Amino acid sequence: NMGTGILDLRSANNSVVRVADAAELEVGSGDYTLEGYVRFLSLPTGSNKAEIASKWDENSNLRSWQLFKAGPTLMSGNLVFRISTDGQAGTVVNTHSWPWVPDLNVWYFITVCRVAGVNRLFVDGVQLGADQADTATYFDGSAVLAIGAEMSSSSAAIADTSIDGFADEFRLDRKSTRLNSSHTDISRM
């Protein structure tokens, strides 16, 4: 419910939500849906990231999956979803890297999903880019699940990865995909 329990990630607050590692948070090689709302007050600058959601710790080689809005000198400022199969930098694959410049102070519903080995990225129900083959087994590491910033293994937010804005209604669903055969998000109908 928008307006109730919104996560305040404004830069002045330096906030992030973290969830300790658990087997229920591992995507592995199966179908999943990651979805939630985000509202930016400002966009990342330079080579900074606005980490939307992740199970990713670069400092400790605990990379699994990561969704972020890049600053203009990092990956052309794109909206990026990437994965790793062993936590190491050498296996990082950007499944999606799409030009997206969100308006400030506007809520966006972002979805990443994998259905039968095909990965898709959506903003407000509109698919960005083409279907991407994705049969990888995402790394089963001990990184925390984080919303709002990348977290280190010492439970500190990593510098220059925080969102300046708000988030709400995030969910990682590993048991079902939330799309029908025509790729329509049935959870929002």
Side-chain angles (χ1 to χ4, degrees), residues 43 50 58 63 94 105 149 153 166 171 187:
L43 297 178
E58 285 184 21
R63 301 165 179 91
N94 297 323
N105 295 305
S153 58
F166 301 92
R171 149 173 64 193
S187 69

Side-chain angles (χ1 to χ4, degrees), residues 104-176:
L104 300 181
N105 295 305
V106 174
W107 284 102
Y108 292 95
F109 185 71
I110 299 176
T111 305
V112 178
C113 66
R114 178 168 60 185
V115 180
V118 176
N119 197 299
R120 297 174 181 95
L121 173 66
F122 298 85
V123 173
D124 289 339
V126 176
Q127 186 171 344
L128 303 183
D131 291 358
Q132 300 296 316
D134 179 8
T135 58
T137 300
Y138 297 8
F139 181 59
D140 180 2
S142 60
V144 300
L145 182 134
I147 298 170
E150 184 180 331
M151 299 293 294
S152 71
S153 58
S154 66
S155 298
I158 295 175
D160 303 322
T161 66
S162 297
I163 288 178
D164 181 24
F166 301 92
D168 199 18
E169 304 293 324
F170 266 85
R171 149 173 64 193
L172 173 63
D173 188 340
R174 297 180 322 123
K175 297 189 181 195
S176 66

Side-chain angles (χ1 to χ4, degrees), residues 31-91:
D31 292 351
Y32 69 88
T33 300
L34 170 68
E35 61 187 357
Y37 290 90
V38 65
R39 182 177 127 200
F40 296 97
L41 296 178
S42 68
L43 297 178
T45 59
S47 61
N48 297 341
K49 300 178 201 171
E51 190 91 6
I52 297 168
S54 68
K55 196 166 178 329
W56 193 271
D57 177 0
E58 285 184 21
N59 295 343
S60 301
N61 286 323
L62 296 172
R63 301 165 179 91
S64 182
W65 56 266
Q66 179 182 51
L67 174 65
F68 65 92
K69 169 71 175 119
T73 61
L74 175 67
M75 303 184 78
S76 302
N78 288 351
L79 180 62
V80 177
F81 182 75
R82 61 184 173 177
I83 62 110
S84 174
T85 57
D86 67 2
Q88 304 295 312
T91 64

